[in-house]
Amino acid sequence: MVTGLSVRGVVNSIQWYTYTKQLNTNHLLIDMLRQLTHLALLCMAVQSVYSETDTNYRLNTTISPSAYSILITPYFDTGDDKAFTFDGEVEITFTTTTNINTIKLHSENLTYTSANITLMNGGNTVNLLETNPLEFEDKYSFAHINLASELTSGVEYILKIVYTGTIRDDLAGFYKNYYIENGVKKWLGATQLESTSARKVFPSFDEPEYKAVFTLTIDRPANYKPSLANTKLQSNLSLSNGYVRETFYPTPRMSTYLVAFLVSEFEAEHYSRNGTKEVGVFTRPEAKNQTDYAFNFAEKVVQALGDYFGIDYYSTNSNLKLDHIALVDFKAGAMENWGLVTYRESLLLYVPEESTPYYKYRVAQIIAHETTHMWFGNLVTCHWWSNTWLNEGFANYFQDYITAMIEPDVAADDQLIIGSVYTALDADDVPDSPPITNNNVNSPDEISGHFGSITYQKAGSVIRMIHHLIGDNAFKSGLNAYLMAK
Ligand SMILES: [Zn+2]
């Protein structure tokens, strides 16, 4: 993680200089020169630190995508060359604000050639450049599609790419999990696209500000349970190859990193599928009897947050439901995919006779955190990862604030201070502590490095101070105005 020089470092240098002024006058000039040299070196260090960040990672395009249609066909332990790969097709509807002859978009570890690309303008095909129609720029995960003629500003185009990819084993993109059930190894495929892994599943404009509507279709083996995605299931169709094709309703307009789907044999002990306020908690079948607490809390917290923010979750888009998934293999603690929240299994399951009270708090806290993101992050999104605190600061604050309100027995109000405020003070008490808004964030490594205590606990603590300063009524109406102005 790249960090800047703290103000404290400069202040210490000046104080030292003031002190040395009181020493032997013979040494004054030497000390001054030493200090000036010291400051010059510090300035050079600042310069070099700032120049290390590479803005070429940014897409910086005039293209604006409006809709994606994505078809994914996974192959698990098929025993042939296709094992743990997937077939993909993406259709991206877009316009551009300037005339351009190259389409630059993100694509990482996906396989296709120019023969797999078609570009349409109404019924007309736009030809690719004959020489060098497709270039991959691996360092920045870009694909450049070079065209024979210019695209016209304001005209709608549809780009289609047919490709293949790998069901990954690094817990990013579309990745594999397994568990053992009655001595049988069961494979499943889950997704983790935040922050920069949508590009590993489908070619895309993979930055948070390029929001679009996503329509997902998943072909899954017939012996698997129905797939899950961000939105409700729209239709299904049995295919002749032993697969079932499931198409989901279009998502709300959202960022690429929030796309999610699950191909598994997971089941839900508890779910509500009555057409309104649908919620579910899905696990491997043997664990579904450990989901009572998560389900009850999940239902309560989505209602309480909607009441507090003045915007009911389900009113934001009629295609939404809200499922919570306990994954066997998961890198982070949980992920707020819109309508399909994923968790590390140990953070969602709860058995009253066996789990400690602290785990009850952790389950409530993490569900509250992720559910807060449905508004802060999903409905309103940071335009770029430099402002990740707009997502994580609010989720960090409400994970305890709303839990304390609806579940007082887990003592979340005490944890808010111990877990967040003290952690924030500790994290900020180092010379190279980064600012909450960090403009030195460009590469995937810098982005993931910015998901730390400053972005979570410090931002959450500052939001808590504002809440206490302006009072509950002003805070609530301010949040409502912010969310409504999305
Ligand atoms: Zn979060």
Side-chain angles (χ1 to χ4, degrees):
M1 181 168 166
V2 176
T3 56
L5 175 72
S6 78
V7 172
R8 184 181 308 169
V10 175
V11 170
N12 285 345
S13 298
I14 293 166
Q15 283 170 343
W16 188 45
Y17 170 63
T18 308
Y19 169 68
T20 57
K21 243 173 60 166
Q22 297 160 3
L23 298 180
N24 188 328
T25 49
N26 288 340
H27 295 154
L28 182 60
L29 191 59
I30 294 168
D31 284 332
M32 274 182 71
L33 285 171
R34 186 193 295 156
Q35 285 306 302
L36 286 170
T37 308
H38 183 56
L39 284 169
L41 286 170
L42 288 174
C43 290
M44 285 168 65
V46 172
Q47 183 62 38
S48 70
V49 162
Y50 276 79
S51 61
E52 270 178 40
T53 190
D54 183 352
T55 54
N56 290 320
Y57 280 99
R58 298 296 302 274
L59 198 47
N60 197 18
T61 178
T62 57
I63 287 178
S64 177
S66 59
Y68 290 73
S69 191
I70 302 164
L71 168 64
I72 301 286
T73 306
Y75 304 98
F76 294 107
D77 50 344
T78 51
D80 58 15
D81 289 351
K82 286 194 168 234
F84 299 107
T85 68
F86 64 93
D87 296 337
E89 286 182 31
V90 64
E91 279 186 16
I92 310 174
T93 305
F94 70 88
T95 54
T96 168
T97 54
T98 58
N99 292 3
I100 49 173
N101 55 15
T102 295
I103 300 170
K104 175 186 179 187
L105 77 172
H106 286 107
S107 184
E108 185 172 337
N109 297 136
L110 301 175
T111 304
Y112 51 94
T113 67
S114 59
N116 304 119
I117 299 173
T118 50
L119 180 62
M120 302 293 289
N121 158 24
N124 304 318
T125 300
V126 179
N127 292 321
L128 308 190
L129 198 62
E130 268 189 31
T131 55
N132 206 18
L134 174 65
E135 296 170 276
F136 290 103
E137 193 178 3
D138 290 342
K139 179 180 179 187
Y140 299 113
S141 305
F142 289 141
H144 300 266
I145 300 169
N146 301 317
L147 308 172
S149 56
E150 279 196 336
L151 299 182
T152 309
S153 165
V155 172
E156 191 169 86
Y157 295 92
I158 297 179
L159 171 69
K160 180 176 180 180
I161 304 177
V162 179
Y163 59 96
T164 59
T166 303
I167 303 179
R168 305 170 69 96
D169 52 16
D170 61 355
L171 310 178
F174 182 35
Y175 72 92
K176 56 190 173 189
N177 286 229
Y178 76 87
Y179 57 95
I180 306 292
E181 187 179 77
N182 300 324
V184 179
K185 197 171 196 175
K186 300 281 191 175
W187 289 101
L188 62 122
T191 54
Q192 170 61 40
L193 305 195
E194 192 180 29
S195 306
T196 53
S197 292
R199 63 193 67 171
K200 299 167 189 167
V201 185
F202 53 98
S204 49
F205 300 87
D206 191 16
E207 293 187 1
E209 71 180 294
Y210 295 101
K211 288 189 170 185
V213 169
F214 296 83
T215 303
L216 293 178
T217 299
I218 310 293
D219 287 358
R220 51 103 178 157
N223 60 328
Y224 276 52
K225 290 282 167 17
S227 295
L228 296 168
N230 301 89
T231 50
K232 299 174 187 174
L233 181 65
Q234 182 173 23
S235 64
N236 59 11
L237 176 71
S238 290
L239 304 175
S240 57
N241 63 355
Y243 274 61
V244 177
R245 172 163 296 179
E246 287 160 336
T247 300
F248 298 85
Y249 282 102
T251 66
R253 191 171 164 272
M254 66 183 200
S255 303
T256 45
Y257 77 90
L258 293 169
V259 170
F261 54 90
L262 176 76
V263 186
S264 73
E265 296 179 57
F266 276 19
E267 296 177 359
E269 175 96 336
H270 301 287
Y271 61 94
S272 155
R273 286 287 186 270
N274 58 6
T276 60
K277 299 190 185 293
E278 295 189 353
V279 62
V281 179
F282 289 78
T283 66
R284 57 190 165 84
E286 286 185 344
K288 67 181 182 179
N289 61 352
Q290 300 173 38
T291 58
D292 292 6
Y293 183 67
F295 180 77
N296 290 331
F297 186 81
E299 271 198 317
K300 266 199 295 192
V301 78
V302 70
Q303 184 67 44
L305 287 167
D307 292 345
Y308 194 89
F309 301 144
I311 302 171
D312 181 71
Y313 170 75
Y314 299 93
S315 75
T316 55
N317 188 295
S318 61
N319 295 336
L320 283 171
K321 41 78 188 173
L322 184 54
D323 289 331
H324 303 265
I325 313 297
L327 287 172
V328 184
D329 297 312
F330 199 77
K331 188 184 274 181
M335 173 61 208
E336 69 266 24
N337 315 297
W338 207 341
L340 191 75
V341 185
T342 45
Y343 300 77
R344 189 178 288 206
E345 189 181 77
S346 61
L347 292 174
L348 194 64
L349 305 181
Y350 177 74
V351 183
E353 306 79 42
E354 293 175 19
S355 307
T356 64
Y358 179 71
Y359 258 84
K360 188 177 184 187
Y361 159 70
R362 286 289 282 130
V363 171
Q365 182 212 39
I366 202 161
I367 295 173
H369 178 108
E370 302 309 327
T371 307
T372 303
H373 276 310
M374 300 303 120
W375 291 265
F376 290 93
N378 300 5
L379 191 61
V380 178
T381 316
C382 56
H383 75 97
W384 176 245
W385 303 109
S386 53
N387 280 310
T388 307
W389 75 272
L390 289 170
N391 297 8
E392 299 303 344
F394 284 100
N396 181 266
Y397 181 52
F398 279 98
Q399 69 187 15
D400 288 320
Y401 181 76
I402 202 74
T403 302
M405 192 181 287
I406 62 174
E407 195 84 343
D409 71 309
V410 299
D413 46 350
D414 296 340
Q415 295 290 344
L416 194 157
I417 307 299
I418 300 164
S420 291
V421 179
Y422 288 179
T423 303
L425 290 170
D426 207 31
D428 219 17
D429 187 28
V430 288
D432 59 353
S433 169
I436 289 178
T437 293
N438 186 351
N439 291 320
N440 291 317
V441 167
N442 287 293
S443 71
D445 283 349
E446 288 166 2
I447 294 166
S448 59
H450 194 42
F451 280 78
S453 297
I454 296 300
T455 298
Y456 285 72
Q457 284 86 3
K458 182 178 174 184
S461 301
V462 170
I463 291 165
R464 172 177 172 269
M465 288 166 65
I466 293 169
H467 189 180
H468 286 200
L469 181 72
I470 67 177
D472 201 44
N473 287 342
F475 187 62
K476 277 167 89 165
S477 75
L479 295 187
N480 178 262
Y482 170 76
L483 292 166
M484 295 293 278
K486 65 182 165 64

mmCIF file of all heavy atoms in Angstrom, residues 194 334 336 369-370 373 391-392 395-396 399 451 456, ligand 1:
data_model
loop_
_atom_site.group_PDB
_atom_site.id
_atom_site.type_symbol
_atom_site.label_atom_id
_atom_site.label_comp_id
_atom_site.label_asym_id
_atom_site.label_seq_id
_atom_site.Cartn_x
_atom_site.Cartn_y
_atom_site.Cartn_z
ATOM 1 N N GLU A 194 -15.933 -7.923 -5.925
ATOM 2 C CA GLU A 194 -15.316 -6.710 -5.386
ATOM 3 C C GLU A 194 -13.857 -7.020 -5.034
ATOM 4 O O GLU A 194 -13.591 -8.044 -4.413
ATOM 5 C CB GLU A 194 -16.037 -6.230 -4.129
ATOM 6 C CG GLU A 194 -15.591 -4.825 -3.727
ATOM 7 C CD GLU A 194 -16.282 -4.285 -2.479
ATOM 8 O OE1 GLU A 194 -16.667 -5.089 -1.618
ATOM 9 O OE2 GLU A 194 -16.421 -3.074 -2.378
ATOM 10 N N ALA A 334 -17.545 -11.207 4.612
ATOM 11 C CA ALA A 334 -18.824 -11.237 3.910
ATOM 12 C C ALA A 334 -18.775 -10.233 2.766
ATOM 13 O O ALA A 334 -17.874 -9.396 2.707
ATOM 14 C CB ALA A 334 -19.956 -10.877 4.869
ATOM 15 N N GLU A 336 -21.388 -7.767 0.127
ATOM 16 C CA GLU A 336 -22.733 -7.208 0.028
ATOM 17 C C GLU A 336 -23.356 -7.267 -1.365
ATOM 18 O O GLU A 336 -24.125 -6.365 -1.720
ATOM 19 C CB GLU A 336 -22.695 -5.756 0.491
ATOM 20 C CG GLU A 336 -21.934 -4.788 -0.449
ATOM 21 C CD GLU A 336 -20.477 -4.572 -0.082
ATOM 22 O OE1 GLU A 336 -19.903 -5.452 0.579
ATOM 23 O OE2 GLU A 336 -19.923 -3.533 -0.471
ATOM 24 N N HIS A 369 -24.107 -5.145 8.968
ATOM 25 C CA HIS A 369 -23.116 -4.455 8.129
ATOM 26 C C HIS A 369 -23.465 -4.626 6.647
ATOM 27 O O HIS A 369 -23.575 -3.648 5.902
ATOM 28 C CB HIS A 369 -21.717 -5.019 8.428
ATOM 29 C CG HIS A 369 -20.627 -4.428 7.599
ATOM 30 N ND1 HIS A 369 -19.698 -3.560 8.103
ATOM 31 C CD2 HIS A 369 -20.312 -4.587 6.284
ATOM 32 C CE1 HIS A 369 -18.857 -3.198 7.138
ATOM 33 N NE2 HIS A 369 -19.216 -3.820 6.017
ATOM 34 N N GLU A 370 -23.646 -5.874 6.238
ATOM 35 C CA GLU A 370 -23.898 -6.141 4.813
ATOM 36 C C GLU A 370 -25.251 -5.587 4.373
ATOM 37 O O GLU A 370 -25.392 -5.103 3.245
ATOM 38 C CB GLU A 370 -23.810 -7.643 4.525
ATOM 39 C CG GLU A 370 -22.481 -8.290 4.891
ATOM 40 C CD GLU A 370 -21.273 -7.566 4.322
ATOM 41 O OE1 GLU A 370 -21.377 -7.005 3.223
ATOM 42 O OE2 GLU A 370 -20.228 -7.549 4.997
ATOM 43 N N HIS A 373 -25.166 -2.000 3.504
ATOM 44 C CA HIS A 373 -24.608 -1.750 2.164
ATOM 45 C C HIS A 373 -25.685 -1.736 1.075
ATOM 46 O O HIS A 373 -25.439 -1.208 -0.014
ATOM 47 C CB HIS A 373 -23.586 -2.827 1.806
ATOM 48 C CG HIS A 373 -22.207 -2.581 2.323
ATOM 49 N ND1 HIS A 373 -21.543 -1.388 2.153
ATOM 50 C CD2 HIS A 373 -21.352 -3.395 2.988
ATOM 51 C CE1 HIS A 373 -20.334 -1.483 2.693
ATOM 52 N NE2 HIS A 373 -20.193 -2.689 3.204
ATOM 53 N N ASN A 391 -18.929 3.748 1.334
ATOM 54 C CA ASN A 391 -19.559 2.433 1.505
ATOM 55 C C ASN A 391 -19.298 1.897 2.918
ATOM 56 O O ASN A 391 -20.219 1.564 3.659
ATOM 57 C CB ASN A 391 -18.984 1.410 0.518
ATOM 58 C CG ASN A 391 -19.238 1.750 -0.939
ATOM 59 O OD1 ASN A 391 -19.719 2.813 -1.275
ATOM 60 N ND2 ASN A 391 -18.898 0.826 -1.817
ATOM 61 N N GLU A 392 -18.004 1.812 3.259
ATOM 62 C CA GLU A 392 -17.620 1.051 4.452
ATOM 63 C C GLU A 392 -17.803 1.818 5.757
ATOM 64 O O GLU A 392 -18.057 1.212 6.803
ATOM 65 C CB GLU A 392 -16.175 0.565 4.315
ATOM 66 C CG GLU A 392 -15.922 -0.359 3.132
ATOM 67 C CD GLU A 392 -16.799 -1.601 3.131
ATOM 68 O OE1 GLU A 392 -17.397 -1.934 4.166
ATOM 69 O OE2 GLU A 392 -16.892 -2.239 2.059
ATOM 70 N N ALA A 395 -21.477 1.401 6.705
ATOM 71 C CA ALA A 395 -21.733 0.004 7.086
ATOM 72 C C ALA A 395 -21.099 -0.287 8.440
ATOM 73 O O ALA A 395 -21.684 -0.978 9.280
ATOM 74 C CB ALA A 395 -21.192 -0.941 6.014
ATOM 75 N N ASN A 396 -19.911 0.271 8.664
ATOM 76 C CA ASN A 396 -19.232 0.063 9.948
ATOM 77 C C ASN A 396 -20.019 0.686 11.101
ATOM 78 O O ASN A 396 -20.120 0.104 12.186
ATOM 79 C CB ASN A 396 -17.824 0.666 9.878
ATOM 80 C CG ASN A 396 -17.055 0.460 11.160
ATOM 81 O OD1 ASN A 396 -17.036 1.306 12.036
ATOM 82 N ND2 ASN A 396 -16.440 -0.702 11.301
ATOM 83 N N GLN A 399 -23.525 -1.232 11.557
ATOM 84 C CA GLN A 399 -23.434 -2.640 11.973
ATOM 85 C C GLN A 399 -23.690 -2.766 13.479
ATOM 86 O O GLN A 399 -24.256 -3.766 13.938
ATOM 87 C CB GLN A 399 -22.069 -3.232 11.613
ATOM 88 C CG GLN A 399 -20.906 -2.670 12.427
ATOM 89 C CD GLN A 399 -19.545 -3.138 11.941
ATOM 90 O OE1 GLN A 399 -19.429 -3.657 10.833
ATOM 91 N NE2 GLN A 399 -18.518 -2.954 12.746
ATOM 92 N N PHE A 451 -8.848 -0.949 1.836
ATOM 93 C CA PHE A 451 -9.907 -1.549 2.663
ATOM 94 C C PHE A 451 -9.298 -1.893 4.027
ATOM 95 O O PHE A 451 -8.978 -3.034 4.310
ATOM 96 C CB PHE A 451 -10.470 -2.808 1.984
ATOM 97 C CG PHE A 451 -11.460 -2.518 0.893
ATOM 98 C CD1 PHE A 451 -11.030 -2.099 -0.358
ATOM 99 C CD2 PHE A 451 -12.819 -2.646 1.125
ATOM 100 C CE1 PHE A 451 -11.939 -1.816 -1.365
ATOM 101 C CE2 PHE A 451 -13.736 -2.369 0.126
ATOM 102 C CZ PHE A 451 -13.300 -1.953 -1.119
ATOM 103 N N TYR A 456 -12.776 1.782 7.305
ATOM 104 C CA TYR A 456 -13.895 1.189 8.059
ATOM 105 C C TYR A 456 -14.089 1.917 9.388
ATOM 106 O O TYR A 456 -14.999 2.715 9.567
ATOM 107 C CB TYR A 456 -13.631 -0.297 8.328
ATOM 108 C CG TYR A 456 -13.819 -1.207 7.138
ATOM 109 C CD1 TYR A 456 -12.922 -1.220 6.077
ATOM 110 C CD2 TYR A 456 -14.897 -2.075 7.078
ATOM 111 C CE1 TYR A 456 -13.096 -2.071 4.991
ATOM 112 C CE2 TYR A 456 -15.076 -2.937 6.008
ATOM 113 C CZ TYR A 456 -14.165 -2.924 4.971
ATOM 114 O OH TYR A 456 -14.338 -3.765 3.908
HETATM 115 ZN ZN ZN B 1 -18.558 -3.593 4.080
#
